[in-house]
């Protein structure tokens, strides 16, 4: 499956509006997990695979390629890390994490396990 590109049809949008292209990219299996882990990078391929626990090497390789093409991740001599766009994306995602914890607690009576 080709990388979602704004201006071209993507999942959820025939016109490929930028937000839908981004959601299409981030909605792919393990894409968000890879981005989330890279906020603490850089990591080598093996380190990133360990951080993502059950991800297959094939899926990880595909997600890295897509995130690199989208200028969200980059490869350096120390491993893979977020680009400036990737760091900006993480800053936008963090409030969603805060909101989701409150929502989970209020709607589903979720209790956070702080032992991790």
């Amino acid at each position: 499956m080709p990388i979602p590109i704004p201006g071209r049809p993507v999942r959820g949008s025939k016109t490929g509006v930028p937000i839908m292209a981004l959601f299409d990219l981030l909605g792919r299996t393990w894409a968000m997990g890879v981005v989330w882990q890279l906020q603490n990078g850089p990591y080598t391929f093996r380190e990133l695979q360990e951080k993502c626990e059950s991800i297959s090497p094939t899926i990880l390789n595909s997600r890295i390629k897509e995130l690199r093409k989208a200028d969200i991740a980059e490869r350096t001599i120390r491993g893979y890390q977020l680009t400036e766009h990737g760091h900006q994306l993480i800053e936008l995602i963090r409030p969603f994490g805060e909101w989701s914890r409150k929502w989970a607690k209020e709607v589903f009576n979720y209790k956070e396990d702080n032992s991790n």
Side-chain angles (χ1 to χ4, degrees), residues 68-87:
R68 288 179 67 193
K69 284 182 184 176
D71 194 38
I72 292 171
E74 64 186 351
R75 184 175 179 195
T76 68
I77 58 171
R78 295 182 9 206
Y80 295 99
Q81 65 184 25
L82 294 177
T83 62
E84 183 60 33
H85 287 122
H87 285 289

Side-chain angles (χ1 to χ4, degrees), residues 8-27:
R8 296 187 185 166
V10 297
R11 287 185 300 168
S13 173
K14 291 181 181 178
T15 60
V17 294
I19 188 78
M20 295 307 290
L22 177 63
F23 284 168
D24 188 351
L25 175 64
L26 297 179

